[in-house]
Amino acid sequence: MTVPALTAETRWRCTLCGNLTRFDVTRTARVTEFLHFDLAGESKVEETEVHSETVESVRCRWCNAVDQVELVARPGAEADEAAEQG
């Protein structure tokens, strides 16, 4: 099953239980990261460039349903869109 892609105006919602906030996402990403190491050898990612990313599956943390998500509008997304247009 194809997982719907998120946008700035949308979010996921579990179609079985209505969950909007907790999901386990399995994804594959191809990235280039700039790592900065301190003198003790601890690293910190300072820059990340995502070349490609694929969401393979989404599991609802509340009801454990797999790939049962739909896209719904984020709160205020309609108002933000109207402000940009008007």
Side-chain angles (χ1 to χ4, degrees), residues 7-29:
T7 67
E9 295 82 28
T10 61
R11 63 182 177 174
W12 286 326
R13 177 185 172 279
C14 179
T15 59
L16 296 181
C17 72
N19 171 30
L20 293 167
T21 60
R22 304 284 192 268
F23 299 96
D24 288 319
V25 180
T26 302
R27 63 188 175 104
T28 301

Side-chain angles (χ1 to χ4, degrees), residues 10-77:
T10 61
R11 63 182 177 174
W12 286 326
R13 177 185 172 279
C14 179
T15 59
L16 296 181
C17 72
N19 171 30
L20 293 167
T21 60
R22 304 284 192 268
F23 299 96
D24 288 319
V25 180
T26 302
R27 63 188 175 104
T28 301
R30 196 171 148 268
V31 300
T32 299
E33 295 179 330
F34 169 66
L35 298 176
H36 179 195
F37 290 85
D38 63 19
L39 295 177
E42 297 293 323
S43 67
K44 176 181 169 186
V45 177
E46 291 193 354
E47 293 176 16
T48 302
E49 180 183 353
V50 179
H51 302 287
S52 64
E53 181 177 45
T54 304
V55 175
E56 296 174 12
S57 69
V58 178
R59 183 176 62 84
C60 176
R61 272 286 179 114
W62 287 3
C63 70
N64 217 27
V66 177
D67 293 336
Q68 295 294 317
V69 295
E70 65 180 353
L71 287 180
V72 295
R74 289 187 187 197

